[in-house]
Amino acid sequence: MSKIRNWVVDPDFPRQEQLENLRYYKYAATDKSLVTKYILRHYWNWAVTLFPTWMAPNLITLTGLMLMMINVVIILLYVPDLLYTDETPRWIYFSFAAGLWLYSTLDNVDGKQARRTGTSSPLGELFDHGCDALNCTFVALLQAAALGLGHSADAAILFLVTVVGFYLSTAEEYYTGVLYLGIVNGPTEGIIASCLAFLWSGFYGAGSWHVPLGEIESLTWLASAVGEDMTFSKLFVWGMIFFFLLTHLPVCVYSIYTATQGESFRQRFGVLVNVTYPIALYTMAIILWILSPNSTVFEDKHWILFTITTGVMFGLMASNIILAHLTKSPFPSFSGILGTLWLMAILIAVIPSFTGWRIVSPSMEYLALWVLFSFSVVMYGIWASLVIDGFCRFLGISCLVIRHAEQRAVASSSASERIQEQDALLQAQEEGTPQSSSSRKNVYNTFA
């Protein structure tokens, strides 16, 4: 690990003052989803009992991410063009549904396992949300394959809506200190809708998403409203955009704005600019790159490589925000990531549009994608290794194993009652239920 530290600019990353702020860590979340409250919470409480108490929560999280990665490999093997044919095996879509559902289950069980084993820590939240950030890319690829969108602008829309939504939620948590999930949210209703879409493709084939509404007699009323050539795949994509603009974007912006109350309007506006400009530049660079007539990302079917590459970059952006939140550090700027994307966008799209000269050939673009992919994975791996190592050394824990010395005694009645109290308190907090003053005094803190 010391050798790796010599490769980075700051050999003391993460800095000691950042790690010291972990002492003030306290998990806070609000989940307004009725599906979670009345159905899924009971399912998760049962699911956590299936795991042995020696299994580390982060290992549960990583297992879910591996299941999603396996499904991405299945895409590469069976539907690399993200299209549909009669020869496409339908079992892959059932695999998509199972993988995403299990990921969601494990993603919600890991926190319960942490409280169950007495191993909750800031590293758990960082590891959990970091995996979620990477999973945004995998979900978008599975959706594109299950809907038979191909390497197209519609596939790009699904990817961008997913990552932008996750970015805003992460930025919102940074400023408010609370992970907020609305009545209709992506991690709950969004995943359920995606799983149902995958199951539909498994039963009826991905081609069923491309039947024009005008050809379905029972849906002529809908076809007259949205157009007879409109397909279900288009409705799915536009539905994602609609719910993002209606239920997610306004809530995040409003929450961040109200979290800065007490400051001047200029300062509050500056916060919004500070939050929005990185993801705006990220999105604009991607759009300029892939929609340029000089780009061959869609034409030569490089969208999967492009998505994973920019998805790893996004994962690093989101994880840096989470790290800043946990260590009470300034909001990150992402100059390196954004500079790299904009360099490619300028070379492929901007300069040729003014000069008429094609600077980057198709083969050079493909090579650049592989170079960016390799560099992004290596840099993400180094960053994650340094952060995890720093957290583990400071907290005296292991990432993927529960050591006997660090596991609290949960067998005693008092410890068992404390865990039950923590679960009840967290559930009340997520539901927005007021707690008594005595309950608030017992809010879980890593160093309590």
Side-chain angles (χ1 to χ4, degrees), residues 83-85 90 93 145-148 200-202 204-210 233:
L83 293 173
Y84 59 93
T85 64
R90 294 189 181 180
Y93 305 122
L147 271 60
W200 178 276
S201 295
Y204 302 105
S208 61
W209 290 94
H210 295 266
S233 64

Side-chain angles (χ1 to χ4, degrees), residues 50-338:
L50 302 178
F51 295 91
T53 54
W54 53 260
M55 189 171 187
N58 290 336
L59 183 58
I60 295 177
T61 310
L62 185 60
T63 301
L65 187 66
M66 294 297 294
L67 292 174
M68 292 297 293
M69 294 175 68
I70 289 173
N71 278 291
V72 173
V73 173
I74 289 176
I75 290 178
L76 295 173
L77 294 176
Y78 291 96
V79 281
D81 56 2
L82 301 178
L83 293 173
Y84 59 93
T85 64
D86 294 336
E87 288 74 30
T88 303
R90 294 189 181 180
W91 64 263
I92 68 173
Y93 305 122
F94 292 113
S95 177
F96 294 172
L100 182 56
W101 182 256
L102 288 175
Y103 177 86
S104 174
T105 299
L106 299 182
D107 186 44
N108 284 279
V109 160
D110 55 7
K112 296 181 180 296
Q113 177 76 346
R115 292 186 294 278
R116 181 184 178 212
T117 57
T119 55
S120 297
S121 74
L123 177 61
E125 181 172 349
L126 176 65
F127 198 92
D128 182 284
H129 291 354
C131 288
D132 290 342
L134 292 176
N135 192 53
C136 289
T137 300
F138 303 151
V139 171
L141 285 175
L142 265 59
Q143 290 173 336
L147 271 60
L149 298 179
H151 296 242
S152 65
D154 285 341
I157 291 174
L158 289 180
F159 170 69
L160 290 174
V161 168
T162 303
V163 298
V164 172
F166 188 90
Y167 173 91
L168 291 176
S169 291
T170 307
E172 178 188 16
E173 183 180 5
Y174 173 86
Y175 280 100
T176 64
V178 179
L179 175 63
Y180 179 83
L181 300 176
I183 295 179
V184 178
N185 62 76
T188 304
E189 287 76 13
I191 284 181
I192 292 175
S194 295
C195 288
L196 291 175
F198 298 159
L199 291 175
W200 178 276
S201 295
F203 285 114
Y204 302 105
S208 61
W209 290 94
H210 295 266
V211 177
L213 296 180
E215 297 181 9
I216 305 176
E217 293 184 5
S218 58
L219 295 178
T220 53
W221 60 273
L222 182 58
S224 61
V226 298
E228 295 188 354
D229 294 331
M230 178 66 69
T231 62
F232 287 106
S233 64
K234 288 285 187 182
L235 284 178
F236 187 95
V237 173
W238 282 105
M240 288 276 291
I241 298 174
F242 174 79
F243 281 107
F244 167 75
L245 295 176
L246 183 68
T247 67
H248 192 76
L249 177 63
V251 173
C252 290
V253 173
Y254 177 77
S255 296
I256 295 173
Y257 186 76
T258 55
T260 56
Q261 59 184 347
E263 300 180 2
S264 66
F265 173 80
R266 183 176 181 179
Q267 291 174 317
R268 301 174 82 179
F269 181 75
V271 167
L272 290 178
V273 171
N274 192 45
V275 168
T276 56
Y277 92 83
I279 196 63
L281 291 178
Y282 173 88
T283 304
M284 289 171 58
I286 288 178
I287 292 175
L288 282 174
W289 183 347
I290 62 178
L291 294 185
S292 170
N294 298 306
S295 174
T296 59
V297 170
F298 290 148
E299 181 181 352
D300 292 347
K301 300 189 183 335
H302 299 325
W303 174 247
I304 295 179
L305 175 60
F306 184 94
T307 306
I308 295 177
T309 300
T310 54
V312 172
M313 291 179 173
F314 170 76
L316 190 53
M317 291 174 63
S319 296
N320 267 290
I321 299 177
I322 301 164
L323 176 64
H325 162 61
L326 295 175
T327 59
K328 301 187 182 302
S329 304
F331 196 84
S333 61
F334 321 111
S335 55
I337 295 173
L338 296 177

Side-chain angles (χ1 to χ4, degrees), residues 29-33 36 41 179 181-182 185 188 429-431:
T30 298
D31 190 346
K32 297 292 186 179
S33 171
T36 296
R41 180 169 285 116
L179 175 63
L181 300 176
N185 62 76
T188 304
Q429 178 190 26
E430 290 178 346
E431 295 174 358

